[in-house]
Amino acid sequence: MPSEFDSDTTLEQVGERRYGGHISDRWNAPLGPIGGYVLAVATRALCLESGKPDPLTVTGHFVGRTVPGEVEIEVEPVRRGKRHSTSMATLRQGGEERLRVLGTFADLGAAEGRTLVDNAPPDLPALEECIDPVPLIPEAMAAMVSVAQRFTVRSRPGTPGWLHAGPSGRASQELWLRFVDGREADPLALVLIVDGTPPTVLELGEVGSITVELTVHVRGRPEPGWLRMRKSARHLIDGYFEEDAEVWDSSDRLVAQSRQLAMLVRIG
Amino acid sequence: MPSEFDSDTTLEQVGERRYGGHISDRWNAPLGPIGGYVLAVATRALCLESGKPDPLTVTGHFVGRTVPGEVEIEVEPVRRGKRHSTSMATLRQGGEERLRVLGTFADLGAAEGRTLVDNAPPDLPALEECIDPVPLIPEAMAAMVSVAQRFTVRSRPGTPGWLHAGPSGRASQELWLRFVDGREADPLALVLIVDGTPPTVLELGEVGSITVELTVHVRGRPEPGWLRMRKSARHLIDGYFEEDAEVWDSSDRLVAQSRQLAMLVRIG
């Protein structure tokens, strides 16, 4: 059986550089499918056309609200070089554009050069000392957040604050995570995973966020096993904030970095 | 007289959503015009077509090497919403694509919402206690780096390391800066400014970098006066690294953030 992720990002070619897909309702936050999921669907179409195996840097501009249901994706090749291949994708629903994507692909297995990392994976307690925060999500919210059922998550006891004592006042998050069905992460899945956990602004007492733009850099092919996520939002200005994410693999290597520009959800 | 920046980003409309411009040799690093300059030229074309005053988030994928000389830019509108307007630009030289850009524009003056910043401007000594590092650039390099003449820069005494005792071993940078001709920064100029100082990997003993992708978030309209820049590159992996920049204005507000994915220049 294909994994949830593979099943929910399956595409069928419907024309020259045109693909049809189905946005599932299994990756929903309260306002609809999370941006990273929709971006991963479009990125799969880019993968099929790029001639290089790995998304290296992918940017999506979310220009309309995607809802569960059919989508059509059209790919335009931009340039195919020796080392990098760049393409653009347009994702539409009912003829209306929802997402525009630019992606540059590479063969991460062939990347050669110096490595020097001035950072470390999240310093989380061992898995067995961590807790599962998902059952703490209030029932009314859980019903709207199907994406929470797609991951197995472990967090430091007492965190996240918004599910325990209350919002911590700092928009940051550190977690163990992996797909609930055991599917291992790969570069395409990382495009979703960076956006797969709740927005850190919940720690500021906010109720949610809307992604305007999301850029994902895949920095390596992840080893099998648990991932560790570090997220933060340091500059909330006039209702806009950037949210940065890092994903580290089981061999302590950074495998993805992302930054999104998002807006707070306003109520009323 | 127009400023250097305005003069070197001037565009002439040559057709429907088509513009001609001239890439000046005044913004060169050793391998040619810096990416932020070429991105600013393309972003000016997007500004002219977007119907919103301010670039909010702009991403460029550098698919070929731009050289000083004529360029042609074509703009494709993606979506014009009430709050945001998204467009795409293609920049070509001699018919060959060099840069593909996606940009979402907004009216930053109309942005309303909560502000909470968990960061501070670079803690630099007062301007008069800082030094001008530009005269320290070796003559052979200075001849190839015309962009160094476009800014007035002040750095902490003894920094940057690569122009003093030697590369510090940490890819970070903090500077005062402004345009040398006194032109004040605005949202469009910030698209260039984030990329206007030397790559931080010079502090690792490297000789240079090539931008693969550059994303700029403009977070506010800068007040007149000196800017402060903070840059760092924390994850150099297999020759690729991300370089993050923050620009703070004279009223201590973050006005731009950027991240680029870049490659080390290999010699020989």
Side-chain angles (χ1 to χ4, degrees), chain A residues 171-230:
Chain A
S172 66
Q173 177 185 101
E174 293 188 343
L175 295 170
W176 292 98
L177 84 163
R178 59 186 308 175
F179 282 125
V180 73
D181 60 6
R183 187 207 194 265
E184 300 293 352
D186 60 13
L188 179 62
L190 289 169
V191 172
L192 183 159
I193 289 169
V194 296
D195 195 40
T197 61
T200 52
V201 292
L202 299 185
E203 293 290 12
L204 304 180
E206 298 293 337
V207 296
S209 69
I210 298 168
T211 304
V212 177
E213 175 262 315
L214 170 58
T215 295
V216 185
H217 294 172
V218 178
R219 304 299 303 274
R221 294 182 185 153
E223 293 292 322
W226 284 86
L227 302 170
R228 279 157 294 173
M229 168 87 92
R230 175 185 284 132

Side-chain angles (χ1 to χ4, degrees), chain A residues 17-215:
Chain A
R17 298 194 295 266
R18 298 174 77 90
Y19 296 86
H22 183 87
I23 297 292
S24 151
D25 63 4
R26 294 199 284 190
W27 308 86
N28 272 8
L31 294 179
I34 58 165
Y37 167 48
V38 184
L39 185 60
V41 172
T43 303
R44 192 182 279 279
L46 292 177
C47 282
L48 293 169
E49 294 284 345
S50 80
K52 301 278 181 195
D54 304 301
L56 175 66
T57 167
V58 176
T59 290
H61 284 242
F62 295 83
V63 299
R65 194 184 290 189
T66 305
V67 295
E70 305 308 311
V71 287
E72 193 170 302
I73 302 159
E74 194 177 344
V75 176
E76 183 208 317
V78 173
R79 184 165 182 269
R80 228 180 240 229
K82 197 174 151 202
R83 190 161 173 180
H84 297 142
S85 168
T86 301
S87 314
M88 196 191 72
T90 302
L91 181 145
R92 295 186 184 89
Q93 274 192 317
E96 289 250 327
E97 183 159 0
R98 306 294 192 212
L99 172 65
R100 180 68 66 105
V101 182
L102 262 180
T104 291
F105 286 69
D107 179 352
L108 285 171
E112 281 181 349
R114 189 173 171 192
T115 294
L116 184 69
V117 173
D118 183 18
N119 195 9
D123 184 26
L124 283 160
L127 274 164
E128 56 276 15
E129 292 162 37
C130 287
I131 61 145
D132 178 2
V134 173
L136 303 175
I137 299 174
E139 209 172 313
M141 185 191 280
M144 296 187 292
V145 186
S146 58
V147 65
Q149 308 302 323
R150 304 280 82 73
F151 293 99
T152 309
V153 174
R154 292 291 179 272
S155 62
R156 190 178 279 114
T159 71
W162 63 278
L163 287 177
H164 287 85
S168 71
R170 283 202 87 174
S172 66
Q173 177 185 101
E174 293 188 343
L175 295 170
W176 292 98
L177 84 163
R178 59 186 308 175
F179 282 125
V180 73
D181 60 6
R183 187 207 194 265
E184 300 293 352
D186 60 13
L188 179 62
L190 289 169
V191 172
L192 183 159
I193 289 169
V194 296
D195 195 40
T197 61
T200 52
V201 292
L202 299 185
E203 293 290 12
L204 304 180
E206 298 293 337
V207 296
S209 69
I210 298 168
T211 304
V212 177
E213 175 262 315
L214 170 58
T215 295

Side-chain angles (χ1 to χ4, degrees), chain B residues 36-110:
Chain B
Y37 167 48
V38 183
L39 185 60
V41 172
T43 303
R44 192 182 280 280
L46 292 176
C47 281
L48 293 168
E49 294 284 345
S50 80
K52 301 277 180 195
D54 302 302
L56 175 65
T57 167
V58 176
T59 290
H61 284 242
F62 295 83
V63 299
R65 194 184 290 188
T66 305
V67 294
E70 304 308 312
V71 287
E72 193 170 303
I73 302 158
E74 194 176 344
V75 176
E76 183 207 315
V78 173
R79 185 166 183 268
R80 229 180 240 229
K82 197 175 151 203
R83 190 161 172 179
H84 296 141
S85 167
T86 301
S87 315
M88 199 189 68
T90 301
L91 181 144
R92 295 188 185 89
Q93 274 192 316
E96 289 249 328
E97 182 158 1
R98 306 293 193 212
L99 173 65
R100 180 67 65 106
V101 183
L102 263 180
T104 290
F105 286 69
D107 179 352
L108 285 171

Side-chain angles (χ1 to χ4, degrees), chain B residues 3 11 13 22 29 33 58 68 85 141 146 165 178-179 236:
Chain B
S3 70
L11 297 176
Q13 186 148 14
H22 182 87
V58 176
S85 167
M141 185 193 279
S146 57
R178 61 188 307 178
F179 282 124
L236 170 60

Side-chain angles (χ1 to χ4, degrees), chain A residues 56-57 59 61 63-64 76 78-79 83-84 86 88 97 100-104 106 108 111-119 169-170 204 206 212-213 215 217 219 234-242 244 246 248 254 257-261 263-264 266, chain B residues 56-57 59 61 63-64 76 78-79 83-84 86 88 97 100-104 106 108 111-119 169-170 204 206 212-213 215 217 219 234-242 244 246 248 254 257-261 263-264 266:
Chain A
L56 175 66
T57 167
T59 290
H61 284 242
V63 299
E76 183 208 317
V78 173
R79 184 165 182 269
R83 190 161 173 180
H84 297 142
T86 301
M88 196 191 72
E97 183 159 0
R100 180 68 66 105
V101 182
L102 262 180
T104 291
L108 285 171
E112 281 181 349
R114 189 173 171 192
T115 294
L116 184 69
V117 173
D118 183 18
N119 195 9
R170 283 202 87 174
L204 304 180
E206 298 293 337
V212 177
E213 175 262 315
T215 295
H217 294 172
R219 304 299 303 274
R234 300 182 67 199
H235 309 90
L236 170 59
I237 301 173
D238 297 335
Y240 287 97
F241 63 98
E242 92 288 1
D244 289 354
E246 299 168 7
W248 297 76
L254 178 83
Q257 251 186 320
S258 70
R259 174 171 288 167
Q260 65 176 273
L261 187 72
M263 297 185 291
L264 296 181
R266 302 186 223 190
Chain B
L56 175 65
T57 167
T59 290
H61 284 242
V63 299
E76 183 207 315
V78 173
R79 185 166 183 268
R83 190 161 172 179
H84 296 141
T86 301
M88 199 189 68
E97 182 158 1
R100 180 67 65 106
V101 183
L102 263 180
T104 290
L108 285 171
E112 279 181 351
R114 189 174 171 191
T115 295
L116 184 68
V117 173
D118 182 19
N119 194 9
R170 282 203 88 175
L204 303 179
E206 299 293 337
V212 177
E213 175 261 315
T215 295
H217 294 172
R219 305 299 304 272
R234 299 183 67 199
H235 309 90
L236 170 60
I237 301 173
D238 298 335
Y240 288 96
F241 63 97
E242 91 288 2
D244 289 355
E246 299 168 6
W248 298 77
L254 179 83
Q257 253 188 317
S258 70
R259 174 172 288 167
Q260 65 177 274
L261 187 72
M263 297 185 291
L264 295 181
R266 301 187 222 190

